[in-house]
Amino acid sequence: MKYKILPVLSLFLLGCSFGLSADVLNVSTPESTLLLQATKGGQLKFLYYGDLLDAKEVKSVAETTPARYDAYPFFGSYPQNESALSVVHPDGNLTLDMEVEGWKTVKNGNATETVITLKDRKYPVTVNVNYLTREGDNVIETWTDVTNKSDSVLKLLRFDSGYLPIRKSDVWMSQLYGTWANEGRVEEAPLPHGMKVIQNKDGGRNSHTSHAEVMFSLDGKGRENEGRVIGAALCYSGNYKLRVNTDDTDYHHFFAGINEENSSYNLQPGETFVTPALALTYSSEGLSGVSRNFHRWGRNYRLAHGDRPRKVLLNSWEGVYFDINEDGMDRMMGDIASMGGELFVMDDGWFGVKYPRNNDSSSLGDWYVDTRKLPHGLKGLLDSAKKHGVKFGIWYEPEMTNSVSELYESHPEWIVNSVGRKPVEGRGGTQLVLDMGNPEVQDHVFDMIDTLLTNYPDIDYIKWDANAPIMSLGSNYLTKDNQSHTYIEYHRGFAKVMDRIRAKYPDVTIQACASGGGRANWGVLPWFDEFWVSDNTDALQRVYMQWGTSYFFPAIAMGSHISAAPNHQTFRTIPIKYRTDVAMSGRLGMEIQPANMTEEEKDFCRNAIAQYKEIRDVVQFGDIYRLLSPYDNKGAASLMYVSPDKDEAVYYWWKTETFVGQQLPRVPMAGLNPDKHYKVLELNRIDNSPLPYEGRTFSGRYLMSNGLEMPVTHDVDYHKRNDYSSRVLRLQAVD
Ligand code: DGJ
C-alpha cells in the first residue's frame, strides 16, 4: 500500500496532526487511487476513484477535476439529493450543515487509516468519515462514526456506511439474487434511471434473496478478465440497503449501509454510532480481478483462519437427517475415515431431553444430549472419532428456541417479539428467535458454547445454524422508546457473543449456516471459517450458485459437498464424477450416507479426496480466474485457480447442457505465466484412454491464447455413458 500525499501539502498531514486548510487526500492501494478534497471550514468532496495515479497525476487530476459531490452527503441544504446521513435534532430540526474540522492519518501496523472529522455549523454533532487501507492490499474499507455531543437524544433516520459517485458511461451492475436452495444467482444489467435498491429485511439471515455485495463494470457488460470494475461489499450481518440513484447528473450515486427501515436510532448524549465497514475495490482486470481482490483481502483480514487449509469432512444431514444414533454416527465416521476424510460433523437431531429433537418442531435451546439416541454422550462420539482417526464437529442453532422447549418454558421473555403480542412462530410451526440484544441472552448463548468447548476440548468444528427470520419485531429488554433498535441490538449482541467465543476458543472451526446460504456475508466471516453455500447440493445447480458466490467469496470459505443421486432437492441423477468435480472447486466435503454408496463410488471418492489434498492449497489459497460463465448459456462453464507464484493451477470444466451435435467453445485459460511451461495431468479420470494432453507440457502463453479442447463426452464403456461431462486438470510448471 502506498499512502501518498501531495508533497506541497504534506506539511499539514504528517503524523496525527489535524490539517489546517484545503487539501487533497490520497487514499491509494497498489492498484487504485481514491482522491478526496478536504477544505477546513468547508466541505469534504469526492474527486476520483480508479486506476493508481502517480504523484504528478494526482496533482493534475486534483487541479482539473470539479469537486462536485460530497464524499459523504448529509440531508440538509439540498434535500432533493439522496443523502447518506439524516437525523432529527432534539429541537426537531431535520438538517445537517457539516464543515470539515480536520483530518489525520493513523498508522497501525500495516494499516493506515485516514480520518476526516466534520462538525455541524450549529448543532453539537460530529461525524468521522474513515478510510482504511492495508499494505499490499487493494481494498479500501470506509465507515462513519456519528457522535452526539448535545445533552439530548439525536435521532438517526438514515446512517449509511459510505457513498461513491460513479461516472455514467455504459455502467453495468452485477448482483446476486436468489432464494432458499437457489442462492447466489448472478444478474447483470445496465443501471436503469431512477433508484435501484437491493435490500434485506430478514433480520438474521441476509444473503438468501439478495446480497450486500455488488460490482459495477464501467465499460459495458462486465468481462471476466479485462475491463474496469468497482466492487463493493457491505460488511454487516443484518438488514442492509444498497441504493444506486441514477438521476439527471452525469453520475450514478451509490449508497450502502444498514437498512434504516424500522430501525431509527436514538443516539444518547455522548454516544457514538459506528456504521459497519463498506469494502471497496477497483480492478482493471475485470470481474475476476475484483473477485481476486476481495478473496485476498478476505483471506488475509476478514475470514477466520484465512491462512489455514480446511479439512475434508462428512456432514450427517442429508445422510440421516434427524435419525441420529450412536451406531450410525460411528459407522459414518468409519466410512469418511476410510475415504481419506479428516472430519465428521453430526448435524441436527442429537439433543433434547424432555422434548427430543426428532423433527424441526421442538427442542432448540435444550442443548443436552439425548442419551436415548447417544447412550455414551458426546464423549462416546469423540472416542469413536479418535478410534477412526478423524476430528469431530457438531451442529448448533444457538440464537434460536422453539415454543416447545424447556428453554422457552423457563424464559418466554427471552425471545424477539412485539411486546404484548402472541409470538409468530417459524420453522416447524414453533421456532422462535432469541433476543440477542438482551445481555442475559448473550450470557446464556455464550455459556452454552463455553460449556460445550470446555467439557469437550476435542470438538474441532461447530456448524452454527440459523433457520428463522426475525418475526413480530420488538424486544422485552429494550425500553419502549428504543423498540426500533431491535434489529441493530440483535446484531450487536450477536457480535459480542462471537467476540467472546473467539477470544476464548480461537482455534475451533465454525461454519456459518443459515437455512443454507443465508449468512454468506463479510459481516459474519471474521468469526466464521466458512459458510454453507446452499441447502441445494445438486451439482449442476451448484455450478451456477458457486459461480455467483465466487464473485465475492473465496473457495476456502465455500462449503461444497458431494451428495446423493438422485439429489434430494432437485431429484436429478448426476454421476459421481460430475458431483465430485463440482464439489472439488470449493471446500470439499460430503453430505451423503456412505452406506448407500457403491464400492466403486467409494473408491472414486477415496481417490478424489487424495487428489484434492494435493491441490487443496491452490484451490483454497490461489487466485480465481473465471473463464466461461454458465450464465452465458454456451453449454459449458469453466474456471481455474492459480497459485500466487503461478507454478500450479487447477482448471475446471463442466458441461451444463447436452444435445447431440452440440458445438462447445474452446476455453482459453488465464492467470498463468506466459513464459512458464505447464505439465497437464487430469484428476478424477474415468475415461478408458487418457486425454491427448495427459503428461504433455504447454506454455502459459499457448494455454491462455488457445486453451485445450475438452471432449464433449467421456470415453467410457457403453453401459457407463450418461449425459454429464466434466474435467479437472492439474497444471504444474516444469523447468
Ligand atoms: C438447515 C441447514 O442449512 C441444513 O444444512 C441442516 O443443518 C438443517 N438446517 C438442520 O436442521
Side-chain angles (χ1 to χ4, degrees), residues 483-501:
Q483 289 295 303
S484 62
H485 295 197
T486 306
Y487 286 127
I488 288 173
E489 291 300 345
Y490 183 94
H491 288 278
R492 286 179 174 170
F494 174 63
K496 282 183 195 154
V497 170
M498 297 314 301
D499 280 345
R500 286 168 73 185
I501 292 173

Side-chain angles (χ1 to χ4, degrees), residues 680-682 685 687 689-698 702 708-711 713 715 727 729:
V680 178
L681 175 72
E682 185 181 5
R685 192 181 115 199
D687 297 54
S689 46
L691 287 171
Y693 326 108
E694 182 72 12
R696 308 296 288 264
T697 56
F698 300 89
Y702 174 84
L708 299 176
E709 206 73 65
M710 292 298 117
T713 54
D715 170 22
R727 304 279 167 180
L729 305 182

